[in-house]
Amino acid sequence: MTNRRDFLKNAGLATAAAAGASTLAAPAVHGQTQIKWRLQTYAGPALAEHVIKPAIDDFNKVANGEMVIELYTADQLVPTGELFRAMQNGTIDAVQSDDDSMAAPVDVAVFGGYFPFATRYSLDVPVLFNQWGLKEIWEEAYGEVEGVKWLSAGSWDPCHFNTKDPIRSLEDLKGKRVYTFPTAGRFLSRFGVVPVNIPYEDAEVAVQTGELDGIAWSGITEDYTVGWANVTPYFLTNNICGAWIGSFFANSEKYDALPDHLKTLLKLAMDSSHYYRQHWYWGGEAKLRVEGTKMQLTTIPDAEWQTVEDAAQEFWDEIAAESERKARVVKILRDYSAAMKKAGRPYRYS
């Protein structure tokens, strides 16, 4: 309500100011009108301090008053699952999220977030989008949807389990209630995991109250940053994906109305956000495994974990059968994985 009142108040002041200016100096009105966007991220406040806030702060500084992006964190204006619709109808102007958890109505949404074993390292994501054709496929998919423009994809951290009880075998996963992403949960249910969908900011309390047995939403950097390491004493070193795929989106009408230099500045801000995450997560994943004191590392033996990787290939086949475009994405993922293995070190070690 406070945000709504402020919005109406500011809108009224802007209208009055514009009316006065039109009487005295009509040609200058447009140059004096500040563009304001409201952007909501999937991330809670602590995580947003790293994954987006520095880039938005820099954008606002360099825009020099021409444009201001107001940043809102997870579920602050609308629930994460309603982000797409809210952006589409103009309730918010832009979003940072994965396609999967914000329920984007496009077939490629299943590949957003953590698509099982689609990536091994964080650098795989920008390479897949910029050199292997995923960018064009995402542009094609979102070009079929009214009101929303997909802008840019980047990588986050790998997907591990942080749990209340130690996980040392696949048997230990059975029956565990785990907060995770829709497609990742669909895959993990094959191993007895019970996916649970709750607001991001509720996950820590849900572990404490027993609603959750663990979380499969991030790597160890995020566990420490947002406080999950305080309530989940065990961290499983096996992961189901090497990097989260997230994107920036905007209401297409608002984006199209931007002058070209602000579109360029927005692209630079997104690239800055992508780059910051590359080194912040990569360094944090190693440092906290070695020096972190809050979580004990556990591991499922490689031979046993291989059954999960094998099952992922069957899962890919099922997804590819759902649409021609999904089949194209799966083919790119397979061709890329084969090329990385053939290239050998440092691209793939096994």
Side-chain angles (χ1 to χ4, degrees):
M1 287 301 297
T2 301
N3 290 332
R4 225 176 265 132
R5 289 193 205 98
D6 289 345
F7 175 78
L8 292 172
K9 178 182 176 182
N10 292 337
L13 291 172
T15 301
S22 64
T23 303
L24 300 174
V29 172
H30 292 296
Q32 296 172 357
T33 302
Q34 185 182 70
I35 300 168
K36 284 191 176 181
W37 273 20
R38 299 199 298 177
L39 185 157
Q40 183 169 312
T41 176
Y42 76 95
L47 187 63
E49 286 289 331
H50 292 278
V51 301
I52 189 169
K53 189 175 183 297
I56 296 303
D57 287 347
D58 287 347
F59 176 93
N60 289 336
K61 182 177 180 179
V62 178
N64 200 30
E66 286 189 67
M67 180 173 174
V68 170
I69 298 177
E70 299 173 348
L71 178 62
Y72 296 87
T73 55
D75 305 306
Q76 194 172 359
L77 295 180
V78 298
T80 296
E82 298 175 16
L83 280 175
F84 189 93
R85 297 303 180 190
M87 177 171 44
Q88 192 174 43
N89 64 31
T91 303
I92 53 180
D93 305 300
V95 165
Q96 181 200 46
S97 176
D98 68 290
D99 322 60
D100 196 23
S101 59
M102 76 171 188
V106 294
D107 52 4
V108 296
V110 296
F111 301 104
Y114 291 119
F115 189 66
F117 299 100
T119 59
R120 183 69 63 91
Y121 307 121
S122 59
L123 277 174
D124 291 340
V125 176
V127 173
L128 281 163
F129 273 85
N130 294 305
Q131 297 185 29
W132 284 73
L134 292 194
K135 176 178 179 286
E136 289 75 17
I137 292 177
W138 259 245
E139 289 174 338
E140 173 191 297
Y142 282 94
E144 298 170 1
V145 180
E146 292 290 330
V148 170
K149 182 174 180 61
W150 173 82
L151 297 175
S152 178
S155 64
W156 274 251
D157 48 345
C159 184
H160 292 262
F161 290 83
N162 49 300
T163 55
K164 292 165 66 174
D165 300 320
I167 305 297
R168 296 189 174 94
S169 70
L170 292 180
E171 185 67 26
D172 292 336
L173 286 174
K174 291 183 178 178
K176 292 293 188 292
R177 294 160 297 178
V178 174
Y179 172 53
T180 190
F181 293 86
T183 300
R186 176 178 163 186
F187 174 69
L188 290 172
S189 63
R190 300 178 178 214
F191 303 94
V193 171
V194 180
V196 179
N197 182 20
I198 59 175
Y200 181 93
E201 287 297 294
D202 293 346
E204 183 176 346
V205 173
V207 172
Q208 292 173 304
T209 60
E211 182 182 353
L212 291 177
D213 299 305
I215 298 169
W217 188 275
S218 70
I220 199 168
T221 307
E222 189 162 333
D223 293 337
Y224 274 79
T225 301
V226 306
W228 293 340
N230 298 328
V231 296
T232 53
Y234 296 97
F235 179 86
L236 182 65
T237 60
N238 310 77
N239 68 60
I240 65 164
C241 194
W244 189 76
I245 297 175
S247 293
F248 286 92
F249 308 82
N251 175 280
S252 54
E253 184 177 347
K254 292 294 185 69
Y255 180 80
D256 291 342
L258 291 180
D260 286 346
H261 70 287
L262 288 180
K263 289 179 180 176
T264 300
L265 182 58
L266 181 61
K267 179 183 183 301
L268 292 172
M270 293 185 295
D271 287 346
S272 173
S273 174
H274 294 329
Y275 171 70
Y276 180 93
R277 293 191 313 274
Q278 284 280 345
H279 64 77
W280 181 66
Y281 275 122
W282 186 255
E285 294 303 301
K287 183 180 178 67
L288 290 169
R289 285 197 196 192
V290 175
E291 299 179 5
T293 60
K294 295 180 180 180
M295 306 175 81
Q296 180 181 335
L297 306 184
T298 64
T299 300
I300 296 175
D302 289 346
E304 187 176 1
W305 190 249
Q306 186 61 47
T307 63
V308 182
E309 297 200 30
D310 293 342
Q313 293 304 310
E314 297 174 7
F315 185 73
W316 286 19
D317 290 337
E318 294 173 17
I319 296 297
E322 294 175 354
S323 79
E324 181 272 339
R325 188 154 50 212
K326 288 181 181 179
R328 277 191 278 149
V329 175
V330 169
K331 184 178 187 305
I332 287 173
L333 295 178
R334 283 205 163 112
D335 289 347
Y336 176 77
S337 179
M340 295 300 102
K341 288 178 180 176
K342 189 173 181 179
R345 298 169 187 254
Y347 299 96
R348 292 293 184 268
Y349 286 84
S350 61

